[in-house]
Amino acid sequence: MAELQAESEPLLGRAHGGRGRDSPPSGLSAFSSIQVGPGAMARQDLCINQAVVFIEDAVQYRSIYHRMDARSMWLYRWYYSNLCQRTLSFTIFLILFLAFIETPSSLTRTADVRYRSPPWEPPCGLTEAVELLCLLVFVADVSVKGYLVGWSQFQKNLWLLAYLTVLAVSLVDWAVSLSLLCQEPLRLRRLLRPFFLLQNSSMMKKTLKCIRWSLPDMASVGLLLAIHLCLFTMLGMLLFTVGEKDAEPNRERLAYFRSLPEALTSLLVLLTTANNPDVMIPAYSKNRAYAIFFIVFTLIGSLFLMNLLTAIIYNQFRGYLMKSLQTSLLRRRLGTRAAYEVLSSMPGQAGATPEAIGVKPQNFLQVLQKVQMSHSHKQALMEKVRSYNDVLLSIDEFQKLFDELDKSVIKEHPPRPQYQSPFLRTAQVFFGHQYFDYLGNVIALSNLVSICVFLVLDADVLPGNRDDFVLGILDCIYILYYVLELLLKVFALGLWGYLSYPSNVCDGLLTSILLVLEISTLAVYGFPHPRWKPETLGLLSLWDMTRLVNMLIVFRFLRIVPNMKPMAMVVSTVLGLIQNLRAFGGILVTGGLAWGCSALTPRPPCRWCTTCSPSLGSACSEAPSWLL
C-alpha cells in the first residue's frame, strides 16, 4: 500500500529529493520496487507510458514535476492535446471579445458621433451566460492543473494561486451583477480578464518577469531623464520670460513656454524630436543664440540618456534570454534523463553487471511511436535509433539522440513529372528554370510601371471622366500572361511540386482571384473599347473593379522578394523579429484591454450630445471643434 500511495504522488516532486543537476530524483531510482498489475507486462506498459510523457515534456520544455500514475498520465496527455489547448485558447479569445459587445458597446462602423448609429445593446443575461461558460472552462482548467501538479507544488506556484484568486473574484462579481439585473455600478471582473491571456502564455510570463527585473536599472535612467527635463524646463522658463521692455511681437517666443506644465510638455515631446524644430523657431527668430539651449537639450536627452535606456533594456533582455535558454535546456535534459531511467528499469533491461545497463532500441522505438511531436523530427529520431540495432543505448547516447530536435528540417520538393516526348522534356526544362521566374518578374515590373503611369496621368481627372480603354486592355493582357505562367509552371513542376513552394501558392492564389475579377468585369461591362466608362452595374462600378484588380497586381509584384537574396534576408529578419516580439505584443494587448475594458456601467451622454437627434445623424450644436 505504501508503494501504491507513493506512486500516486508526483513522481519527480521535490519531496523525493535529487542527486544533482542532471541526475534524476531518487523517485526514479526506486522505480524498480513499484509493482503495478498482476505481472511484468503491466509494469512494462506503465514504464513505456511514463517514458512517453517524459519525452513529450522534454520536447515541449515542460516541467516534469507532476503526477505519474496511469490515470493521471492519461489526464495529463489529454489536457495538453491539441483539442483541449485550442478549446482553452478559443475560450480566452471569447471572453476578451465580450468587451466589444457588452454595455457600453463600442462595436460600431464609425467613431464619429454625427454618423454613428446607436450600438446594439445585448439584453441582460446574454453576455453573462457566455461569460459563465468561459469561467467554468477556466475553473476546470485550474482544477486539472492543480490535481496534476499536486497541492504542494500548487501552493508554491504564484501564477496558479493568482489564477484561482482571479477566478474567485470574477465569479463573485458575476453573481453580484446578475443579482442586480446588470445595473451594478462597478464591474471589477472586466479589468481582470486580460489575466487569462497572460497566464496561458509562458513567453508572456517570461517577458513580465524580465520587465520586473529590468525596472531597477530602468528607474535609475528614468530618474536622470526626469532631472534632465526639470532642469531644462526651469532654464527655459527663465530664458524665454518676456521682459518689461519687450514689445508685443516678441511675445511669440512664449508659445511653448507660457507656463511650467506647458514647458515641461514641450520639452518632453522634444525628447522624441517630434516637435523639432517647431518648438525652437519662436525663440530662434528672436536670437539665434537660443538654439544652443535646444541643441544641448537634444544631445543630452536623445543621444545619451535615451540610448542608455535602450542599452540597459537590451542588456537585461539578453541576459534573461540566456537564462531562459538554460532553463529550457535543463528541462529537456531532465525529461530525457527521466525517460532513460524509466526505460532502463524495465523488466529484462539490465544484465548482471552494471556495464549492461541501458535502453533497448526496440523499447525506445515503441515509445517514439506514441510520442506527439512533428513527423519530420520523429522520423529522424527513429532512423537514428534503428542504426543502433540491438546495442543498448547509454545515457550519453540517449540524450544525444534528442539533438535532432534542434536541427532545422529541410523540406524536399516532390519529384517533377516524367515526360516521354523529347519536346515536352525540353519545354519542362525551360519553364522550370529559374530564368523563367526572372522573365515573370520583368513582366510584373512592367505591369506595375504601367499602373504608375496611368495613376500619374489620371491624377487630376475625375473617375467619371476617365477613359479606361488602354488600362483595361493592358490588364487583360497581363492577367492572361499570369494565367499562362501558372499553367506552364504546373506543367513543369507538377501540381504538388508547384504547391510545395510558398511563393507559388501566394502567386497562384492572387492569379486565380485576378482571373475571377477580370471575367466578372468583362461579363458585366463587356470588352474594353474607347470611352469605356458605363454606368454602375451590380455591386461595384467599373472604376472600383479596376482599382481592386490593380491593387492585387501590386501585391503580386512582391513575388520578386524570394528571388533577391539580400531582400529575402531582410524580410526574413523582419518576420523573425515580429515572431519574437509576439510575447511583448501580447503584454501591450493585455495592458490595452485592461485599460479599455471599463469597470463602470454605461456612462450618461455628454453635455454636448444632449441636443443630437436620436440617431446621432446630425452634429451637436454645442459640441467643441475637437469632437466634430
Side-chain angles (χ1 to χ4, degrees):
M1 293 297 294
E3 293 175 350
L4 293 177
Q5 183 178 2
E7 183 189 66
S8 64
E9 296 297 326
L11 182 61
L12 301 180
R14 295 185 180 180
H16 294 290
R19 293 190 300 255
R21 177 169 182 147
D22 293 335
S23 301
S26 58
L28 283 178
S29 61
F31 182 80
S32 58
S33 63
I34 299 176
Q35 298 294 333
V36 181
M41 186 60 67
R43 179 187 169 190
Q44 184 175 0
D45 292 339
L46 180 62
C47 289
I48 290 177
N49 291 332
Q50 287 183 338
V52 168
V53 173
F54 284 138
I55 292 177
E56 289 179 350
D57 289 341
V59 171
Q60 300 296 331
Y61 302 107
R62 294 195 295 254
S63 174
I64 60 175
Y65 294 97
H66 52 78
R67 298 180 184 271
M68 291 302 297
D69 57 281
R71 183 175 58 183
S72 299
M73 284 190 297
W74 176 86
L75 180 62
Y76 184 80
R77 296 193 70 196
W78 176 81
Y79 174 77
Y80 282 105
S81 63
N82 292 332
L83 177 62
C84 289
Q85 293 302 308
R86 289 175 181 175
T87 302
L88 183 59
S89 300
F90 176 76
T91 305
I92 295 173
F93 166 78
L94 187 60
I95 197 171
L96 293 178
F97 183 76
L98 288 178
F100 294 96
I101 60 176
E102 286 179 325
T103 304
S105 176
S106 60
L107 196 63
T108 55
R109 180 180 179 182
T110 176
D112 197 329
V113 296
R114 298 172 297 172
Y115 312 111
R116 185 177 62 189
S117 59
W120 175 69
E121 301 292 345
C124 180
L126 178 61
T127 58
E128 284 74 15
V130 177
E131 186 177 11
L132 178 62
L133 292 177
C134 297
L135 292 177
L136 291 178
V137 172
F138 295 142
V139 169
D141 177 50
V142 72
S143 301
V144 171
K145 285 182 177 178
Y147 171 76
L148 291 175
V149 302
W151 177 244
S152 59
Q153 292 294 325
F154 188 90
Q155 290 178 311
K156 299 175 183 178
N157 195 319
L158 297 179
W159 280 101
L160 289 180
L161 293 176
Y163 194 7
L164 187 62
T165 304
V166 169
L167 277 176
V169 174
S170 300
L171 287 172
V172 171
D173 189 67
W174 178 88
V176 172
S177 176
L178 206 63
S179 63
L180 297 177
L181 300 179
C182 308
Q183 299 297 324
E184 73 281 7
L186 184 67
R187 298 175 184 174
L188 185 61
R189 64 185 185 277
R190 289 188 178 182
L191 298 176
L192 301 177
R193 286 175 185 172
F195 176 83
F196 300 126
L197 178 61
L198 282 175
Q199 64 84 28
N200 194 51
S201 173
S202 59
M203 289 302 299
M204 293 175 65
K205 293 178 184 177
K206 293 178 181 179
T207 304
L208 277 179
K209 192 174 182 180
C210 182
I211 292 175
R212 180 173 62 85
W213 285 359
S214 304
L215 284 179
D217 294 332
M218 294 170 59
S220 60
V221 182
L223 181 60
L224 286 177
L225 280 172
I227 295 175
H228 172 69
L229 281 173
C230 292
L231 289 179
F232 275 86
T233 298
M234 291 185 289
L235 289 176
M237 291 293 294
L238 295 174
L239 282 174
F240 306 128
T241 301
V242 178
E244 297 178 356
K245 299 181 179 180
D246 289 338
E248 188 66 27
N250 295 331
R251 298 176 182 270
E252 65 177 2
R253 67 177 187 271
L254 287 176
Y256 296 93
F257 294 89
R258 296 183 185 276
S259 61
L260 188 63
E262 289 186 7
L264 183 62
T265 304
S266 300
L267 292 182
L268 182 61
V269 176
L270 181 59
L271 199 63
T272 63
T273 67
N275 59 352
N276 183 52
D278 297 341
V279 68
M280 182 178 63
I281 295 302
Y284 182 77
S285 61
K286 174 64 177 178
N287 192 335
R288 290 187 175 183
Y290 285 143
I292 300 176
F293 170 83
F294 298 97
I295 293 174
V296 173
F297 175 83
T298 305
L299 285 176
I300 297 176
S302 299
L303 298 183
F304 291 103
L305 295 181
M306 294 297 290
N307 288 335
L308 180 60
L309 181 62
T310 304
I312 289 176
I313 296 174
Y314 168 75
N315 186 57
Q316 290 292 330
F317 271 81
R318 185 184 63 175
Y320 185 77
L321 177 62
M322 295 300 298
K323 293 181 181 179
S324 178
L325 291 176
Q326 291 174 359
T327 303
S328 300
L329 180 61
L330 177 61
R331 285 188 174 185
R332 173 164 290 182
R333 291 180 63 87
L334 282 176
T336 54
R337 181 62 184 269
Y340 172 83
E341 293 291 337
V342 168
L343 291 176
S344 63
S345 64
M346 290 176 60
Q349 282 292 114
T353 60
E355 290 79 4
I357 294 178
V359 176
K360 288 184 178 180
Q362 295 81 2
N363 294 334
F364 190 35
L365 289 174
Q366 188 177 357
V367 170
L368 289 177
Q369 291 288 348
K370 297 183 178 181
V371 173
Q372 295 181 359
M373 65 170 65
S374 64
H375 179 73
S376 57
H377 286 148
K378 181 184 290 187
Q379 291 298 323
L381 277 174
M382 294 179 70
E383 290 178 3
K384 292 277 286 186
V385 173
R386 291 192 185 101
S387 64
Y388 286 91
N389 296 326
D390 294 332
V391 180
L392 295 180
L393 298 174
S394 64
I395 179 59
D396 294 333
E397 294 171 342
F398 190 84
Q399 289 189 340
K400 285 181 180 179
L401 288 173
F402 290 91
D403 293 340
E404 298 291 332
L405 299 177
D406 299 325
K407 298 179 181 179
S408 58
V409 179
I410 300 176
K411 184 178 179 181
E412 295 183 359
H413 300 286
R416 297 187 178 187
Q418 300 293 330
Y419 297 106
Q420 300 298 329
S421 172
F423 173 76
L424 294 180
R425 288 199 299 267
T426 304
Q428 182 184 23
V429 172
F430 176 76
F431 296 121
H433 200 274
Q434 191 175 9
Y435 289 153
F436 186 68
D437 291 337
Y438 294 157
L439 176 61
N441 293 337
V442 173
I443 299 297
L445 178 60
S446 64
N447 191 2
L448 193 64
V449 171
S450 65
I451 294 175
C452 293
V453 169
F454 280 96
L455 288 176
V456 173
L457 295 176
D458 297 338
D460 298 329
V461 182
L462 295 177
N465 299 328
R466 293 174 183 173
D467 188 358
D468 292 334
F469 170 63
V470 178
L471 185 59
I473 292 294
L474 291 177
D475 285 343
C476 290
I477 294 175
Y478 281 116
I479 291 175
L480 286 177
Y481 173 80
Y482 296 152
V483 174
L484 181 62
E485 182 188 27
L486 187 151
L487 297 176
L488 291 176
K489 283 188 175 182
V490 171
F491 159 77
L493 303 176
L495 179 60
W496 298 114
Y498 179 84
L499 296 177
S500 63
Y501 294 90
S503 59
N504 286 345
V505 174
C506 181
D507 196 6
L509 180 62
L510 290 176
T511 302
S512 302
I513 297 175
L514 285 172
L515 180 61
V516 172
L517 287 176
E518 189 65 21
I519 293 176
S520 303
T521 303
L522 297 179
V524 175
Y525 296 102
F527 288 93
H529 52 81
R531 304 301 300 171
W532 189 43
K533 183 59 65 177
E535 297 294 333
T536 301
L537 300 174
L539 182 62
L540 296 175
S541 65
L542 177 60
W543 170 241
D544 294 330
M545 296 286 285
T546 305
R547 284 194 304 168
L548 186 57
V549 168
N550 291 332
M551 283 190 294
L552 292 176
I553 290 174
V554 172
F555 279 110
R556 193 182 180 279
F557 182 71
L558 296 177
R559 56 174 287 172
I560 69 169
V561 173
N563 295 330
M564 302 180 64
K565 291 185 179 180
M567 188 183 299
M569 186 179 299
V570 172
V571 171
S572 62
T573 303
V574 172
L575 294 178
L577 289 175
I578 295 175
Q579 184 178 4
N580 294 328
L581 287 175
R582 286 183 302 176
F584 189 74
I587 299 294
L588 295 179
V589 170
T590 52
L593 289 174
W595 181 267
C597 294
S598 174
L600 301 178
T601 53
R603 305 177 182 87
C606 62
R607 64 182 181 88
W608 297 296
C609 299
T610 53
T611 59
C612 293
S613 62
S615 62
L616 296 178
S618 60
C620 300
S621 60
E622 300 180 11
S625 59
W626 57 265
L627 185 61
L628 299 180

